[in-house]
Amino acid sequence: MEITGQVEDIIYKNENNGYTIATFLTEEEELITVVGYLPFIQCGDSLKLMGNMVNHIEYGEQFKIDTFEKIMPQSEAALEKYLANGIIKGIGPSIAKKIVKTFGEDTLHVLKYEPKKLAVIKGITEEKAIHISEEFNLNWEMWNLVSYLEQFGISATSTKTVYDKLGENAKMQIEENPYVLVDILPNVDFKQIDKVAMELGFTLDNTKRIKSAIKYGLHQISYNGHCCTLYENLVAFEVSLLGVSEEEIEEAIIDLKVTGDIVLQDREEENEEWVYLSSFFEAEQAVAEKLLRLKESENRKKIPNFEKEIKKAEKLQNITLSEEQKEAVHAVNENNVTIITGGPGTGKTTIIKTIIEIYKAHGLKPVLCAPTGRAAKRMTEATGEEAKTLHRLLEIGKLQEDILLRNDVQVAPIDADIIIVDEASMMDIFLTSYLMKAIYQTTKLVLVGDVDQLPSVGPGNVLKDIMESESITTVVLNKIFRQAAQSKIIVNAHRVNEGKTFLVKGEEEASSQNDFFYIASRNQEDILQQILSLCKGRLQNYGNYDFFHHIQVLSPTKKGRLGTKSLNEELQKALNQKVEGMPERQNSGYTYRKGDRIMQVKNNYDIFWERQTENAYETGTGVFNGELGTILKIDEENKQVKIQYDDEKIAWYDFAELDQIELAYSITIHKAQGSEFDVVILPIFPSSPMLLTRNLLYTGITRAKKLLIVVGYDTVITSMIHNNEIKKRNTGLAYMLEKGEV
């Protein structure tokens, strides 16, 4: 069935995937309810809908949309409504009315081909008229592309990326080579694009098809943290994916090597050949080269009579460094690059503070940084010195989403005598390569981290690779200090890391702090009720811990009854219930309310923010993946949400941008890397074996600062403690450093 008409009102819209419920006025003047996927559709849009009438048990008769096509408004009234819907910047209801009244049935022609005529209308300059025309034409070009890309399984949200990369001739270029979409959008479904290409007449042995599939395969491995793959594994994967011979794959690999799209690396000692996308190889190569150059450079920032300087710093801070700590501080003075690694309570912060003290006393400039906002904030609080995120320090603008272009990122050189990076285990190979690009040859570099935590979310295993190469001076801290040893959180973290079970009641010293509790359970519903009880008031009574200021629930997984998705719904229901008359907003399967805890889940380099402190008013751009905040306001009139992040910056999000956030009453342990919370509640339950590892449990435990409550299955906890099989990441950084030739 096919109907044509105009969108009258949007009742509900999921901004993430475009699922919409709307009232629709047909050409026959009949008002009906339509449901289906209508991404980017606004009130006033004229559409041709294909689908069927269905009878919903609760809502009655509806038109269920299979596909749709956007068409130009046919009447002057429809055109006025379309122009007034806010989709074109510079045109509101008043201006729309004037335009249609002035030009009548010629309105579309004027907008498209003679925009300067719009300047006869009061309030529209020639410059504004041209801008309005550009917006109108871009909107229309985009829509033609949206409907065309549907057949490739590409969502409307990705259409702008395609348009930006390919320009006005995008459709023609895709028809000539559909596989270009794989290069532009690495997350696409290759099989879907392949299917359409076959229908367009491409053959199995088409070289564009095979080359595109090879690059697609090398992209896919990066989502599991790998930078490269064995040659024979790649060939086997491609044969299975494409249904062509090994010889045809190998010919395409040679061609891609010649054009510089991929790199083949022979590791003769291992008798192995590895394949990289060129950007990954260049990133590893850049890191290895810079580390080796820094290591071999003259140590111009070495401070003489260093033992004397350490004593001065100890006296000033009223501390006594252990032999391990002194070794670390000496190593920094003796080397241009140093790694300091150790678990909680081993004195890493004291070492950092001592290094800062000594170098500042000699008029040298230390710069502190960390991969995430929360880690940088924690570093600032611990040292009393400003620490920046690496993105902010490097002044990285908006990165291309296409990973192939990441090595083109421009960074600001770092004005420093010594750079100290905390939580270095979180740096992926690309972020590390940007950092290396920004370091002057005479600057010292200190990488501080805990190599036993989870590796970076992005590709690579930088800190571990550097340590395994034994090319860079490394100090491993093992001693837990007396004060830290009183914390059962710290003691149990180290026990887990050593493959031992938690201390049970009675085994700890009498002086131990009551900062660790284990509640055994073998029932997921019981675990859920324990979590809700702890968050709703039990911990308020125990230590005056308020959920919204102190408590964070961490889960090993997003899925299941105790995964973050379900926990967020349950915790929101318990802690921030719906209030009649208060606005709400739905997006990505979540309902958002004022007061909700949220997390940014994508890097947004462009969003404007402001921050008012006691001493200053500050503005800037950029909110990054992993930042936590609270919804202050949902403004339905302006279709915006006001969010305050934990570092006090405030940003406004359009409703269409809410796919960038998620509820964060509960977050995954992976997302909590680099963060520390006063109170952590950690449910442990049967889940994917890939997740139930020692380093995941260890990372979860070490996120708690004042109180940790583990609730879960004895058997699963024991299994995690004994499961020290960390999934190996295929990288080449250690090899490059060991060889010393890059």
Side-chain angles (χ1 to χ4, degrees), residues 694-712:
R694 182 189 296 177
N695 67 340
L696 188 89
L697 180 59
Y698 174 74
T699 302
I701 291 170
T702 54
R703 299 309 90 206
K705 187 159 60 173
K706 295 180 180 176
L707 180 64
L708 172 68
I709 301 164
V710 180
V711 191

Side-chain angles (χ1 to χ4, degrees), residues 482-688:
R482 181 181 294 276
Q483 189 175 353
Q486 292 175 4
S487 165
K488 282 190 274 186
I489 296 172
I490 290 174
V491 170
N492 280 323
H494 283 273
R495 286 179 67 87
V496 165
N497 203 30
E498 293 161 8
K500 300 174 184 174
T501 54
F502 301 147
L503 279 177
V504 295
K505 205 167 185 180
E507 287 185 344
E508 69 273 12
E509 292 179 22
S511 60
S512 290
Q513 300 168 20
N514 286 321
D515 61 357
F516 178 99
F517 294 94
Y518 171 48
I519 302 170
S521 177
R522 288 183 57 82
N523 180 298
Q524 294 202 25
E525 282 303 317
D526 176 60
I527 293 172
L528 174 61
Q529 293 310 314
Q530 292 280 2
I531 292 169
L532 294 175
S533 170
L534 288 162
C535 293
K536 282 170 71 176
R538 255 165 82 191
L539 289 175
Q540 185 91 43
N541 298 331
Y542 174 77
N544 201 25
Y545 293 123
D546 169 68
F547 181 86
F548 291 96
H549 293 99
H550 307 107
I551 301 168
Q552 184 63 59
V553 180
L554 304 183
S555 176
T557 180
K558 287 185 173 184
K559 299 174 182 176
R561 187 68 175 125
L562 296 174
T564 57
K565 188 86 169 63
S566 175
L567 282 174
N568 274 317
E569 291 171 1
E570 295 288 352
L571 286 163
Q572 184 193 47
K573 201 187 302 177
L575 299 165
N576 193 23
Q577 294 176 0
K578 177 181 174 64
V579 176
E580 204 61 46
M582 289 293 286
E584 294 183 343
R585 189 68 192 170
Q586 283 81 30
N587 193 294
S588 306
Y590 287 115
T591 298
Y592 294 105
R593 300 174 186 141
K594 179 183 175 181
D596 277 338
R597 289 289 289 157
I598 61 90
M599 173 182 272
Q600 178 82 9
V601 294
K602 297 178 181 177
N603 287 336
N604 184 333
Y605 299 88
D606 297 329
I607 195 164
F608 173 82
W609 55 260
E610 54 190 340
R611 177 164 45 214
Q612 180 72 57
T613 63
E614 287 182 16
N615 304 318
Y617 172 75
E618 187 184 0
T619 63
T621 56
V623 179
F624 301 105
N625 190 352
E627 293 197 53
L628 291 160
T630 303
I631 293 178
L632 297 184
K633 184 178 181 180
I634 296 176
D635 184 346
E636 290 191 315
E637 185 178 343
N638 294 304
K639 294 182 168 52
Q640 289 185 316
V641 173
K642 184 181 184 182
I643 296 173
Q644 181 171 37
Y645 284 92
D646 287 355
D647 61 359
E648 305 301 323
K649 65 174 177 272
I650 291 174
W652 286 90
Y653 286 68
D654 292 335
F655 283 173
E657 296 176 310
L658 292 183
D659 61 330
Q660 299 176 24
I661 65 169
E662 289 179 359
L663 289 180
Y665 294 85
S666 173
I667 62 176
T668 62
I669 296 171
H670 280 87
K671 284 285 188 186
Q673 274 181 274
S675 300
E676 201 174 54
F677 308 96
D678 285 346
V679 180
V680 167
I681 300 171
L682 188 60
I684 301 295
F685 51 93
S687 183
S688 166

Side-chain angles (χ1 to χ4, degrees), residues 176-369:
E176 289 175 3
N177 176 20
Y179 298 105
V180 72
L181 293 169
V182 179
D183 295 338
I184 293 169
L185 304 166
N187 283 320
V188 294
D189 181 352
F190 178 85
K191 290 181 180 177
Q192 177 72 12
I193 290 171
D194 198 34
K195 178 174 172 285
V196 178
M198 294 291 112
E199 290 168 1
L200 290 172
F202 279 72
T203 56
L204 288 177
D205 62 353
N206 183 284
T207 55
K208 289 176 182 174
R209 175 180 186 254
I210 298 172
K211 288 178 184 178
S212 179
I214 290 167
K215 289 189 278 186
Y216 168 79
L218 291 171
H219 270 301
Q220 293 305 107
I221 63 168
S222 72
Y223 301 127
N224 286 321
H226 304 301
C227 293
C228 55
T229 187
L230 283 167
Y231 182 93
E232 56 265 32
N233 289 352
L234 177 64
V235 172
F237 172 80
E238 300 298 343
V239 167
S240 171
L241 178 68
L242 298 172
V244 297
S245 69
E246 288 187 10
E247 290 75 20
E248 287 167 309
I249 303 291
E250 289 173 342
E251 280 178 24
I253 288 174
I254 291 166
D255 287 349
L256 288 168
K257 180 186 175 185
V258 170
T259 55
D261 290 293
I262 67 172
V263 174
L264 301 183
Q265 183 189 59
D266 282 313
R267 300 184 192 170
E268 293 171 5
E269 296 86 345
E270 301 165 11
N271 195 28
E272 292 172 340
E273 187 169 27
W274 293 82
V275 190
Y276 287 83
L277 279 172
S278 58
S279 57
F280 286 81
F281 182 82
E282 288 162 12
E284 287 200 330
Q285 187 179 50
V287 172
E289 282 181 348
K290 190 58 171 276
L291 285 173
L292 292 172
R293 279 207 307 273
L294 285 171
K295 177 188 173 183
E296 299 302 329
S297 295
E298 182 187 348
N299 188 353
R300 294 188 185 180
K301 304 293 162 66
K302 184 176 180 179
I303 295 172
N305 304 316
F306 201 66
E307 192 62 45
K308 188 178 172 184
E309 299 301 325
I310 290 176
K311 285 177 182 173
K312 279 187 196 172
E314 284 180 316
K315 189 175 180 182
L316 199 66
Q317 296 179 88
N318 194 26
I319 59 169
T320 302
L321 297 178
S322 70
E323 289 306 310
E324 270 187 357
Q325 289 175 315
K326 283 182 182 175
E327 181 192 348
V329 177
H330 271 293
V332 170
N333 193 48
E334 293 296 326
N335 299 277
N336 288 330
V337 190
T338 312
I339 292 175
I340 300 169
T341 182
T346 54
K348 296 191 294 292
T349 301
T350 302
I351 291 167
I352 293 172
K353 287 168 76 174
T354 304
I355 292 166
I356 294 167
E357 192 65 51
I358 293 171
Y359 279 81
K360 281 179 72 176
H362 281 261
L364 297 172
K365 182 182 178 182
V367 165
L368 280 60
C369 55

Side-chain angles (χ1 to χ4, degrees), residues 25 124 132 179 193 360 412 448 468 622:
L25 185 65
I124 301 181
I132 287 170
Y179 298 105
I193 290 171
K360 281 179 72 176
V448 183
E468 284 187 355

Side-chain angles (χ1 to χ4, degrees), residues 44-79:
D45 283 349
S46 294
L47 307 175
K48 184 188 287 181
L49 305 178
M50 283 67 78
N52 292 287
M53 294 300 297
V54 296
N55 198 37
H56 191 280
I57 295 172
E58 192 173 343
Y59 301 113
E61 198 171 51
Q62 301 175 335
F63 186 86
K64 189 176 180 184
I65 303 161
D66 290 330
T67 60
F68 74 97
E69 183 183 327
K70 192 171 179 180
I71 56 177
M72 280 291 182
Q74 301 301 305
S75 67
E76 289 182 19
L79 180 57

